[in-house]
Amino acid sequence: MSDGVEWAIHCCTVLAVLPEGDALPAARLAEFHKVPPAYLAKHLQALTGAGITRSVPGPRGGFALARPAAAVSLLDIALAVDGSQTAFRCSEIRQRGPAASAAPGAYRRPCGIARAMWRAEDAWRRELAATSVADVLTELVATVAPEQLLAGTEWIQEVQTRRRSRT
Amino acid sequence: MSDGVEWAIHCCTVLAVLPEGDALPAARLAEFHKVPPAYLAKHLQALTGAGITRSVPGPRGGFALARPAAAVSLLDIALAVDGSQTAFRCSEIRQRGPAASAAPGAYRRPCGIARAMWRAEDAWRRELAATSVADVLTELVATVAPEQLLAGTEWIQEVQTRRRSRT
């Protein structure tokens, strides 16, 4: 799994606390998390492509969640950033070598090994689909020290105040 | 996930049908699956290191399962080949940037995002732990065309007969 999944979930959690109508530029999100802006921008574009975030144009623009935080699952984010292909790829090695069959339809049914591996990935997906950005945020608010939450929200407010004063 | 996991599960399934005391060399397992012998040997060594297969010395030697096929799970194989680290790696980006806390113990509890991602990996592991090589073999025997099973077992028997005649 790429680092981008971690960054993207953190970014969506920050975007979830923005007041309705607000947006944050990729550069500010990168600054907040101290991650390389160019890489982060690529992941934010992937999120936008998947309909998780939206790109707001203009001097007060940036990125915002495209739907309520409760409607964005960790699975949505992971698939948007890393792609929806399975981690286990079946290269059909059963069709090679001395035991391979030339009979038509011999390999119609997917390989049992691949099916077992994909059942496990389904379990992974179900678990991530059941956790939303709103869940992450709720848990964060319940467990993080109040002064840290304050530091985060104050930084965001300062950034937005500075941007408003310029426009 | 590496191709090695697929190859290793297929190899263990073949080793599971060998008569007690028999072994197959890495080169024959590579031939059976038409995969690069050097890479496969590396994965078989990883399986042996994890106590899944054992290396049998001598002219009739090779690899054999080190324990009953029912006692080898797909999780055992996946972790032996790909390592036991989680797919999601938490780089603790919460500890960076303007909202980071310098308070002692502020980050004692693992990040909620990492915990959610690891819960999903636990679900993946549970599913793979519940499927054994014996399960895969049972399902294979029940679903694969009889002539294909025959081709596989005949090839193995021929290989073993040839090796015995040489010693």
Side-chain angles (χ1 to χ4, degrees):
Chain A
M1 190 176 295
S2 78
D3 286 344
V5 174
E6 182 192 18
W7 303 358
I9 298 172
H10 276 272
C11 285
C12 287
T13 310
V14 169
L15 294 180
V17 302
L18 291 185
E20 182 76 30
D22 270 21
L24 269 179
R28 294 290 85 73
L29 284 166
E31 194 183 336
F32 189 84
H33 297 106
K34 245 186 171 175
V35 296
Y39 279 114
L40 184 65
K42 204 191 80 177
H43 299 310
L44 291 167
Q45 276 152 22
L47 293 178
T48 298
I52 294 168
T53 52
R54 59 193 174 85
S55 181
V56 180
R60 290 192 200 173
F63 288 92
L65 286 186
R67 48 187 205 248
V72 177
S73 75
L74 300 195
L75 180 64
D76 295 333
I77 299 173
L79 298 184
V81 172
D82 268 2
S84 59
Q85 72 286 0
T86 55
F88 179 85
R89 321 259 179 114
C90 174
S91 65
E92 289 286 336
I93 66 174
R94 64 178 176 163
Q95 298 197 28
R96 313 182 204 164
S101 169
Y107 299 109
R108 200 177 295 137
R109 193 182 166 87
C111 177
I113 291 172
R115 275 184 289 125
M117 296 302 289
W118 291 331
R119 269 199 306 274
E121 292 196 40
D122 286 343
W124 177 84
R125 289 183 181 221
R126 272 194 305 274
E127 188 71 36
L128 287 189
T131 308
S132 71
V133 169
D135 295 331
V136 167
L137 190 61
T138 304
E139 214 248 348
L140 186 95
V141 170
T143 56
V144 165
E147 53 277 17
Q148 204 179 340
L149 280 180
L150 196 67
T153 49
E154 278 182 350
W155 183 85
I156 294 169
Q157 279 164 11
E158 273 168 35
V159 163
Q160 300 297 59
T161 306
R162 244 182 296 141
R163 296 172 78 212
R164 275 186 208 108
S165 69
R166 276 200 220 113
T167 54
Chain B
M1 191 176 295
S2 77
D3 285 346
V5 175
E6 181 192 18
W7 302 359
I9 299 172
H10 276 271
C11 284
C12 287
T13 310
V14 169
L15 295 180
V17 302
L18 291 185
E20 182 76 29
D22 271 21
L24 269 180
R28 292 292 83 73
L29 284 165
E31 194 183 337
F32 188 85
H33 297 107
K34 243 185 173 175
V35 296
Y39 279 114
L40 184 65
K42 204 191 79 176
H43 299 310
L44 291 167
Q45 277 151 20
L47 293 178
T48 298
I52 294 167
T53 53
R54 60 192 173 87
S55 179
V56 179
R60 291 192 200 171
F63 288 91
L65 286 187
R67 48 187 206 249
V72 177
S73 75
L74 300 196
L75 181 64
D76 296 332
I77 299 173
L79 298 185
V81 172
D82 268 1
S84 59
Q85 72 287 359
T86 55
F88 179 85
R89 320 257 179 113
C90 174
S91 65
E92 288 286 338
I93 66 173
R94 62 177 177 165
Q95 298 197 28
R96 311 183 204 163
S101 169
Y107 300 109
R108 201 177 292 137
R109 194 183 166 88
C111 177
I113 290 171
R115 276 184 289 126
M117 296 302 289
W118 290 330
R119 268 199 306 275
E121 293 196 39
D122 286 343
W124 178 84
R125 289 183 181 221
R126 271 195 304 276
E127 188 72 36
L128 287 189
T131 308
S132 72
V133 169
D135 294 331
V136 167
L137 190 61
T138 304
E139 213 248 347
L140 186 95
V141 170
T143 56
V144 165
E147 53 277 18
Q148 204 178 339
L149 281 180
L150 196 67
T153 49
E154 279 182 349
W155 183 87
I156 294 170
Q157 278 164 11
E158 274 169 34
V159 164
Q160 300 297 58
T161 307
R162 245 181 295 141
R163 295 173 77 212
R164 274 186 208 106
S165 69
R166 275 200 220 114
T167 55

